[in-house]
Amino acid sequence: MSLELRSRDRERKLLKKINESIELIEMGDYGYCENCGVEIGIQRLEARPTANLCIDCKTLDEIRERQQA
Ligand SMILES: [Zn+2]
Protein backbone atom coordinates (compact mmCIF):
# COMPACT_ATOMS: atom_id res chain seq x y z
CA MET A 1 0.00 0.00 0.00
CA SER A 2 1.28 3.46 -0.79
CA LEU A 3 1.96 5.87 2.03
CA GLU A 4 -0.84 8.12 0.86
CA LEU A 5 -3.38 5.33 0.86
CA ARG A 6 -2.29 4.23 4.29
CA SER A 7 -2.65 7.69 5.77
CA ARG A 8 -6.04 8.05 4.09
CA ASP A 9 -7.10 4.77 5.63
CA ARG A 10 -5.95 6.01 9.04
CA GLU A 11 -7.90 9.22 8.53
CA ARG A 12 -11.02 7.28 7.64
CA LYS A 13 -10.71 5.15 10.76
CA LEU A 14 -10.16 8.23 12.90
CA LEU A 15 -13.19 9.94 11.37
CA LYS A 16 -15.26 6.85 12.10
CA LYS A 17 -14.12 6.91 15.72
CA ILE A 18 -14.89 10.62 16.02
CA ASN A 19 -18.37 10.05 14.59
CA GLU A 20 -18.93 7.23 17.06
CA SER A 21 -17.81 9.50 19.89
CA ILE A 22 -20.23 12.21 18.76
CA GLU A 23 -23.05 9.66 18.73
CA LEU A 24 -22.16 8.62 22.25
CA ILE A 25 -22.10 12.25 23.41
CA GLU A 26 -25.56 12.74 21.90
CA MET A 27 -26.86 9.62 23.65
CA GLY A 28 -25.25 10.70 26.91
CA ASP A 29 -23.08 7.60 27.02
CA TYR A 30 -19.81 9.31 26.26
CA GLY A 31 -16.94 8.81 28.66
CA TYR A 32 -17.94 5.36 29.88
CA CYS A 33 -16.10 2.15 29.15
CA GLU A 34 -17.84 0.06 26.49
CA ASN A 35 -16.75 -3.10 28.20
CA CYS A 36 -17.33 -2.61 31.92
CA GLY A 37 -19.28 0.67 32.04
CA VAL A 38 -16.84 2.43 34.34
CA GLU A 39 -16.06 6.13 33.78
CA ILE A 40 -13.06 6.40 31.50
CA GLY A 41 -11.83 9.51 33.27
CA ILE A 42 -11.24 13.01 32.05
CA GLN A 43 -7.45 12.70 31.93
CA ARG A 44 -7.64 9.72 29.59
CA LEU A 45 -10.31 11.38 27.47
CA GLU A 46 -8.23 14.52 27.18
CA ALA A 47 -5.30 12.48 25.95
CA ARG A 48 -7.49 10.27 23.74
CA PRO A 49 -10.90 11.82 23.05
CA THR A 50 -11.94 8.76 21.04
CA ALA A 51 -11.17 6.27 23.81
CA ASN A 52 -14.07 3.89 24.31
CA LEU A 53 -12.48 1.60 26.88
CA CYS A 54 -11.19 2.36 30.37
CA ILE A 55 -7.47 1.97 30.91
CA ASP A 56 -7.90 -1.48 32.51
CA CYS A 57 -9.98 -2.88 29.65
CA LYS A 58 -7.72 -1.22 27.07
CA THR A 59 -4.67 -2.83 28.65
CA LEU A 60 -6.35 -6.26 28.62
CA ASP A 61 -7.44 -5.65 25.04
CA GLU A 62 -3.89 -4.84 23.99
CA ILE A 63 -2.53 -7.95 25.73
CA ARG A 64 -5.16 -10.08 23.96
CA GLU A 65 -4.35 -8.49 20.61
CA ARG A 66 -0.66 -9.15 21.11
CA GLN A 67 -1.35 -12.77 21.96
CA GLN A 68 -3.40 -13.23 18.81
CA ALA A 69 -0.75 -11.68 16.59
ZN1 LIG B 1 -13.50 -1.04 31.38
Side-chain angles (χ1 to χ4, degrees):
M1 241 202 274
S2 79
L3 209 68
E4 200 199 338
L5 272 177
R6 233 180 335 211
S7 77
R8 228 182 274 167
D9 190 54
R10 237 200 328 260
E11 246 170 54
R12 219 179 17 239
K13 278 180 190 155
L14 187 64
L15 271 176
K16 191 173 166 281
K17 287 218 121 194
I18 290 169
N19 282 330
E20 282 170 3
S21 299
I22 290 169
E23 268 175 43
L24 286 174
I25 292 167
E26 284 172 351
M27 290 189 297
D29 283 337
Y30 181 69
Y32 294 94
C33 174
E34 252 180 22
N35 190 51
C36 67
V38 98
E39 271 186 77
I40 290 171
I42 193 71
Q43 275 178 327
R44 178 156 161 71
L45 286 173
E46 270 174 2
R48 286 202 67 162
T50 58
N52 54 1
L53 293 172
C54 71
I55 192 70
D56 290 341
C57 292
K58 182 66 194 165
T59 306
L60 283 175
D61 206 50
E62 271 166 12
I63 291 168
R64 255 197 307 263
E65 242 170 55
R66 225 171 295 151
Q67 282 170 343
Q68 276 168 5

